[in-house]
Amino acid sequence: MPSHDVLVIGAGLAGQRAALAAAEEGVSVGIISKVHPVRSHSNAAQGGINAALNPGDSWESHAFDTIKGSDYLGDQDAIEIMTREAPEEILHLEHLGVTFHRNEEGKLGTRAFGGASAARTYYVADITGQAIMHVLYEQLMKYSEQIARYEEWFCSSLAIEESGECCGVVTRNVADGSMELFQAKSVILCTGGNGMVWKPSTNALICTGDGIAMAYRAGAKLMDMEMIQYHPTTLAGKGFLITEGARGEGAHLLNAKGERFMEKYAPNKMELASRDVVSRAEQTEINEGRGFPDGTVALDITVVPKKRVHEALREIVLVGRDFAGVDITREPIHIKPGNHYTMGGVKTDVDGRTDIPGLYSAGETACVSVHGGNRLGANSLLDTLIFGKRSGRDAAARAKRIDYAHTSKQVLEDEEAMIADIVAREKGSGRRISEIKLELGQTMDAKVAVFRDEAGITEALETVRRLKEEAKTAYIDDHGSVFNQDLIAAIELGYMLDNAECTCVAALERKESRGAQYRTDFPERNDEDWLKHIDLERTDDGPEISYSEVTITQWEPQERTY
Amino acid sequence: MADYTIKVRRFQPESGEGPYWEEFNVDLDPSLSVLDGLLQAKDREDGSLAVRCSCRAAICGSCGMKINGQSGLGCKTQIGEAQELADKQASATGKGGEGNSIVIEPMGNMPVIKDLVTDMESTHWTKIRRVTPWLLPHGEPPEREYIVEPESMIDITQSMACIQCGACVSSCLSMEADHEFIGPAALAKAYRFVGDPRDAETHERLHDLADDPHGIYDCTHCFSCIDACPKGVAPMDQIMRLRRKAGEVGIEDPNSGHDHEIAFVKIIEKKGTLDESLLLQESFAPGIKGKLKPNKRAIREMLGSIPTAIRGIKTGKMRSLHKLIPGVHPKLPDQDDVKTIFAHAEEHSEEFNLYIKGEEGELAEDDVEKGIERSTDPDTPQEVKNG
């Protein structure tokens, strides 16, 4: 049985950072990813990474912006840690080789971003996530003796020993279909978010909420699962992302009448208000008939100097040209709010520890919570790196303290039986996996999106529970071992349905409007009753609800305007 | 919505059968991608059709494949355009008609694992690791950031834009002939460090890449990788930059390629047209006209080229023999314009970089607007304009 002191599941920014941090502590590390690490979705983070590093800026200001952005649902102790450690992390990345944009003096330069009171977003053109992730992967290659890479291995379950501690994972080597139980002293889940639960989504096809579901099934608590971010600028239909950096560089939002409508909703910050605020403003314009016939509003980048667009927004020039047939330097592009980010996730402390000893989580999979009800742009990369690093260190410290537990092979046999059952289903015995996925995605996008109400969420929950039953008999075409993507899709569908059920239950429970959760039947924020996290724990009858306090250190909740 | 037929090169390793072709009929909007077409076939008809994919937006680099014989990304190729190309190719081969199958194959220069899934580890990634792909600074890092020229970061951001999709490797003609060629992706990655002012091993890297017989001089300058690259990385340009940097630190180009480029520029600058009688001499023993100072290698190379020249004469590929006699080739009567072009190019000499200049069409149009010569045209090889 392959063994590593620390085993990281997922190799995006959080996972790679966690692996590097653990290896620095001198323990043996394995990193497992269902795709090659550089295919991970951190690539898609275009705009940048926040840090109060400029003279005159302060971590307190960054922290306050983040807390206000979170609609006061973020835990302030965690936000303090993230914003205090941000400058050091940026410099660390720079020293590793990230090609951050420079100002004329040759020092690190910044751009403006939504919800921020200062220009504190560091960036590499509009490929910041990609540029950082490829540099971290360079480091993984450099330290290949300390960090074993399992590229294209898919995890189907956590191994939990009798005492309740996490002691490994069950994996399938995608290339040949062999199953393996990996033993570990600490396991860190960094598998990203669950955007595929919605259709369309800006997320990649791999973002199926694997880690969230695996932790939930193993008994870990989930938190803030109702908080799903809709990004204000996505391409209609395909859901592709247009970076907030475009608005950071000065682009305008216009309705079909050509009005710069953000004047009505956020007169001070205009297009650079928090994402939930901008998405609701756009959706209101569209719902009230001031959008375009294709259900969109327009993003006008032509007001940004052309040279600057090519230097700083080249990726979206290509996205506009290749995916919308629009030259963004010459004409406005049609956009709408689209599913983008999972603020909630596996409940962790500031060192990435979950409720299950030995199980950690970081990045979009985890909910520390630094994003609360709404994540600020350019805080997600920061979250992955800071809490990836902290989880890696703590997981390594734990590994040094303890011995390997006895890991029963039972879980491996269970998973092999589960897979054999899926493969054995006869064609026509049920629905196709892809049909169920489509119905799930469309239902969630219609009922659990920018505006929600009890009737809609209830309907979605009922649909999800029906689909869960249907998934049990859904069949696949591929019965082979080598690159059986059909089988993996069937297992991922199970993960997605668990994620969806939890989001519906939490969205139904929170009877107020806060951050990304806007209930038309409860349109006000209600601090008295709902300034608290909703935690969910798995039972045979579905998620069981409990509450936990929001940590407030020095910023009392106040009215939120932009 | 429109109907398309996609013809996929399939290989199911567990079947015991060899590769075969299978056609799928799909219906989707022409603006959707070839990958969308494949996924529709997979969703509706055959879930065993294997294709790596994730982001659908040309940022993850998973779906490298050959479409109508051209390497690229499935998600970035619109199916309507792929159809047009398929029809164009059919009419060029005399088949003609519309609605020809869009042909989809796994990437080239890599072993196939299953259907469109190739083994990138044994080819692409092994070569990437060959170029020591991590920053090697000397000493302790500074307290704050390294202070570097802003342009230097923008310059290497072009190679950082590489998403490791392998399309360039798939299309590389040199690699087809020499499997050990380090290749376009890995060499573009190498430039990312050679061009990085924070890296302290520039000389070692350049010597390493120049001394390797499968290194920077193994590229035949065919432009295939530039055509294939979905991200504008222009791997061949990065290889040429490596060669130029190698020249700057005194590494001798075994093909005299760099001297050959300079010879072109110099002769045209002096004469206005290309005097081929001087080309060989200037390429192998650069000197002032008439003052030939051949070194031993130059003599060896020139003698060595005689058989090639004779074969050229025999097969009719060298027809203007008299032009090889020095002094016969006429000068351009009015050389002032040529001098103006050279002066302009000299004055406006800068690296062509998408992060600075934008897309090609954009650039050409702007040039026209400004009424300047096309001396910064991306089609002009850089070596010439900077030579």
Side-chain angles (χ1 to χ4, degrees), chain A residues 110-145:
Chain A
T110 52
R111 69 161 41 127
F113 237 65
S117 47
R120 64 167 73 94
T121 303
Y122 294 87
Y123 65 99
V124 182
D126 52 3
I127 56 166
T128 312
Q130 176 191 331
I132 297 175
M133 195 168 72
H134 282 244
V135 167
L136 290 193
Y137 188 69
E138 290 165 13
Q139 297 297 309
L140 283 191
M141 291 190 279
K142 181 177 178 185
Y143 293 107
S144 58
E145 283 181 17

Side-chain angles (χ1 to χ4, degrees), chain B residues 260 263-264 267 274-284:
Chain B
H260 193 51
F264 266 94
I267 294 167
L274 188 65
D275 183 345
E276 289 171 52
S277 67
L278 293 173
L279 193 55
L280 207 58
Q281 159 190 333
E282 284 287 338
S283 299
F284 287 112

Side-chain angles (χ1 to χ4, degrees), chain B residues 281 284-288 290-296 298:
Chain B
Q281 159 190 333
F284 287 112
I288 310 154
K291 292 185 185 169
L292 192 58
K293 297 180 290 183
N295 57 29
K296 274 186 187 166

Side-chain angles (χ1 to χ4, degrees), chain A residues 97 102 152 203 432 477, chain B residues 43 47 52 56 114 146 192:
Chain A
R102 306 289 161 149
E152 297 186 319
N203 283 198
R432 289 183 75 81
D477 302 322
Chain B
D43 280 352
R52 284 194 187 100
R56 299 162 295 154
K114 177 179 176 179
Y146 289 96
R192 173 249 173 289

Side-chain angles (χ1 to χ4, degrees), chain A residues 375-502:
Chain A
R375 175 174 70 74
L376 289 193
N379 264 354
S380 62
L381 292 182
L382 186 60
D383 171 21
T384 64
L385 293 162
I386 299 296
F387 294 102
K389 174 190 73 181
R390 293 178 67 95
S391 314
R393 284 183 187 163
D394 203 81
R398 173 186 154 88
K400 284 181 184 171
R401 282 196 308 270
I402 63 167
D403 290 323
Y404 283 109
H406 169 72
T407 309
S408 161
K409 289 232 169 192
Q410 184 59 44
V411 59
L412 177 61
E413 288 163 21
D414 291 348
E415 290 305 294
E416 282 171 340
M418 178 271 292
I419 286 171
D421 170 63
I422 295 174
V423 173
R425 288 176 205 159
E426 291 288 323
K427 189 163 187 164
S429 65
R431 300 179 75 185
R432 289 183 75 81
I433 303 287
S434 53
E435 286 171 17
I436 299 178
K437 259 188 191 168
L438 182 65
E439 188 179 349
L440 172 66
Q442 289 175 341
T443 303
M444 294 298 282
D445 193 55
K447 308 289 180 194
V448 196
V450 176
F451 292 112
R452 307 166 173 184
D453 62 19
E454 185 180 330
I457 304 167
T458 306
E459 205 180 308
L461 182 58
E462 283 166 4
T463 304
V464 169
R465 288 188 166 149
R466 169 170 56 78
L467 295 177
K468 278 184 101 161
E469 285 305 308
E470 291 176 358
K472 288 178 184 165
T473 57
Y475 69 92
I476 60 174
D477 302 322
D478 195 336
H479 302 285
S481 303
V482 177
F483 261 85
N484 189 335
Q485 298 173 319
D486 220 7
L487 169 69
I488 288 169
I491 302 173
E492 287 173 339
L493 175 63
Y495 291 154
M496 287 158 61
L497 288 163
D498 280 353
N499 277 268
E501 184 181 22
C502 291

Side-chain angles (χ1 to χ4, degrees), chain B residues 212 223 271:
Chain B
D212 188 328
F223 286 79
K271 300 206 147 193

